[in-house]
Amino acid sequence: MAKDVKDNSTEEKIKNAARRIFQQKGYAGTRTRDIAEEAGINLALLNYYFRSKERLFDLIMTESLEEFFRSLRSVFDDPNTDFEEKIRRMVENYIENLTANPNLPIFILSELRSHPEELIKKTGAKNVLLNSVFIQQLEEEIEAKRVKPIKPLHFMMNMLGMTVFPFIGSPMIKGMGNIDQPEFEKLMQERKTLIPVWIKVILTP
């Protein structure tokens, strides 16, 4: 192999190892040496593919974020599910993705502070919401008086607060409740059922 040609399989091996280590230890607790050992390669080879821990973390989180929004778009724009089913699937989607990518909320907050416009453009977040089948269904539900009039942004703020905040505040929540990570994840699984019920109560005229 030419020296300047990179092997995609090695690159993927490094990224997969990094995902596991970042999830176990968090960004601050992870060393590039830990990632190299997990991937079964030497440190020099890791540095050849990814110049720094920060660059590797940003790449992994960006890919995870883009995949997250692709999966959300498939829920928002599904013409074969009704309004209530979309809410249920949205909640499940948020919780499953954030359980699998616990560093993602912190990464999003960091990007929102430093590059908010770039993050919105990169994810297509505006189009995911405003031009979706879900919004059309919400407007139809309001017009038929089956739900209270609500602005789409209010709805999304409520959804984000109930699904995303627990992951951002998980250290505090685990400390207050004196629970460990498996117990926290069990709570989040319970919220898959609870949140759609709460949202229905909020929206009922």
Side-chain angles (χ1 to χ4, degrees), residues 39-53:
I41 61 172
N42 60 52
L43 188 58
L45 186 60
L46 186 146
N47 289 332
Y48 169 65
Y49 278 84
F50 301 98
R51 291 188 299 276
S52 67
K53 180 178 78 169

Side-chain angles (χ1 to χ4, degrees), residues 151-168:
K151 293 180 179 178
L153 284 176
H154 276 308
F155 176 86
M156 288 310 300
M157 284 189 281
N158 287 338
M159 175 71 74
L160 292 169
M162 286 190 277
T163 54
V164 179
F165 175 76
F167 288 95
I168 295 173

Side-chain angles (χ1 to χ4, degrees), residues 81-201:
T81 55
D82 63 18
F83 181 70
E84 287 192 12
E85 175 66 10
K86 280 186 174 61
I87 290 174
R88 187 186 67 78
R89 288 179 59 196
M90 270 189 273
V91 171
E92 288 183 354
N93 208 296
Y94 271 113
I95 292 174
E96 286 175 6
N97 273 281
L98 296 177
T99 299
N101 298 284
N103 290 301
L104 195 55
I106 303 301
F107 173 72
I108 293 172
L109 287 176
S110 174
E111 288 296 292
L112 283 173
R113 289 193 190 100
S114 53
H115 311 291
E117 292 180 1
E118 184 178 329
L119 181 65
I120 291 169
K121 181 179 178 181
K122 185 185 298 179
T123 59
K126 187 181 295 185
N127 290 328
V128 167
L129 175 63
L130 297 180
N131 300 323
S132 66
V133 172
F134 174 76
I135 293 302
Q136 295 172 19
Q137 291 176 328
L138 174 59
E139 291 170 350
E140 289 167 3
E141 293 293 307
I142 292 171
E143 187 175 350
K145 301 187 186 304
R146 288 189 289 266
V147 304
K148 293 177 183 176
I150 185 173
K151 293 180 179 178
L153 284 176
H154 276 308
F155 176 86
M156 288 310 300
M157 284 189 281
N158 287 338
M159 175 71 74
L160 292 169
M162 286 190 277
T163 54
V164 179
F165 175 76
F167 288 95
I168 295 173
S170 64
M172 179 180 67
I173 291 168
K174 287 186 283 190
M176 288 192 305
N178 194 29
I179 60 174
D180 58 16
Q181 182 63 24
E183 290 174 300
F184 173 78
E185 290 180 6
K186 183 181 177 182
L187 280 179
M188 295 312 299
Q189 291 301 310
E190 291 171 359
R191 289 177 74 82
K192 285 183 181 180
T193 302
L194 292 171
I195 292 173
V197 173
W198 297 335
I199 290 176
K200 187 173 183 179
V201 171

